[in-house]
Amino acid sequence: MKVLLVEDDAALADALVSALEEAGLLMESTTTGSEADYLVRTERYDALILDLGLPDGDGTRWLSQWREDEIDLPVLVLTARERWSDKAAGFSAGADDYVVKPFETAEILFRLRALVRRSHGHSHPVLRVGELTLDTHTGSVTLAGRPITLTAQESRLLSYLMHASPRIVSRAELSEHVYNRDHEPDSNVIDVQISRLRRKFGRARIETLRGQGYRLVDLEAEA
């Protein structure tokens, strides 16, 4: 998943970005609400982590504005404010989850994964498309019960296709969600990685729809 962190504590932001990237997430960060506002309107993210005490306005004000403008990406508030009134204000502004500092990085990771799953209509942590499974907690992938080894980039690509299945995913959408905006690939790179996944799972499991994109197919349901 591709996540935007909005946090003005540089040391905390660096540590959290590093830990979440190590867990396989694509992270981008900013220190102000105004830059976050620009990014959520021009880039695509799967989730956003939002501090409330920002230098250019309270996080709840920015969040309320995004919700009014129908920017509906999942938002996890991460703040030192622990009073019930602060939590109520966060949820009323449109937060999907609320975590008080200090925190365990593993908890943030699990909560983010749950938020993204639910935003795609999945409640169970193990995603299934036919005999292909992905455990969103551990990152393990199996085909008909057999473990499959993937590179980090292949894992991100497969994860996005599985979350979206059976919807068609365009090249542009894959580029925006699976790759960092500073290192967006050309279409040939995506084609190569799709080909590698097909070699591991079978060509027919990833369908190419000319001019539209890719779709993960449940072969067992079609049999």
Side-chain angles (χ1 to χ4, degrees):
M1 70 186 85
K2 186 175 179 180
V3 177
L4 177 63
L5 170 64
V6 189
E7 169 64 65
D8 66 333
D9 183 326
L12 187 152
D14 288 345
L16 185 56
V17 165
S18 178
L20 294 179
E21 285 182 337
E22 187 174 341
L25 276 62
L26 267 179
M27 297 296 301
E28 295 183 2
S29 64
T30 181
T31 59
T32 66
S34 56
E35 186 174 356
D37 183 65
Y38 172 78
L39 289 172
V40 298
R41 297 176 191 276
T42 58
E43 301 288 332
R44 291 190 182 186
Y45 298 96
D46 296 296
L48 185 148
I49 303 172
L50 179 66
D51 182 26
L52 297 184
L54 299 175
D56 57 346
D58 195 279
T60 56
R61 179 175 67 82
W62 292 106
L63 179 53
S64 294
Q65 186 61 58
W66 296 334
R67 295 314 193 208
E68 287 179 14
D69 294 341
E70 300 184 350
I71 296 173
D72 60 357
L73 81 167
V75 173
L76 184 154
V77 167
L78 185 61
T79 180
R81 301 177 188 177
E82 59 183 5
R83 295 179 305 176
W84 164 243
S85 59
D86 293 319
K87 295 178 181 180
F91 283 115
S92 296
D96 298 283
D97 204 349
Y98 194 106
V99 176
V100 176
K101 302 172 184 175
F103 57 88
E104 291 290 337
T105 303
E107 179 182 2
I108 301 301
L109 181 61
F110 282 123
R111 288 177 180 270
L112 284 173
R113 286 172 172 165
L115 288 176
V116 172
R117 281 201 318 271
R118 290 168 184 156
S119 72
H120 285 275
H122 304 289
S123 58
H124 198 281
V126 177
L127 305 183
R128 300 179 184 274
V129 179
E131 292 186 331
L132 185 62
T133 70
L134 168 66
D135 187 324
T136 59
H137 284 172
T138 65
S140 61
V141 176
T142 66
L143 179 61
R146 178 172 58 90
I148 303 294
T149 300
L150 301 177
T151 67
Q153 193 59 61
E154 289 169 350
S155 181
R156 284 193 289 265
L157 187 58
L158 177 66
S159 176
Y160 196 80
L161 289 172
M162 290 193 73
H163 276 88
S165 181
R167 183 173 60 83
I168 300 169
V169 180
S170 69
R171 291 172 183 269
E173 185 176 346
L174 283 176
S175 178
E176 291 174 334
H177 283 269
V178 179
Y179 301 90
N180 189 288
R181 62 190 169 99
D182 295 326
H183 300 90
E184 290 183 357
D186 58 32
S187 60
N188 289 335
V189 171
I190 296 176
D191 287 341
V192 168
Q193 291 178 341
I194 290 289
S195 295
R196 289 174 179 168
L197 288 177
R198 283 172 168 155
R199 286 198 293 270
K200 295 181 179 182
F201 303 130
R203 182 174 183 81
R205 288 190 186 276
I206 303 179
E207 181 182 11
T208 299
L209 293 96
R210 188 176 298 276
Q212 298 180 65
Y214 302 99
R215 176 170 57 195
L216 202 60
V217 178
D218 183 348
L219 294 181
E220 288 66 39
E222 294 185 352

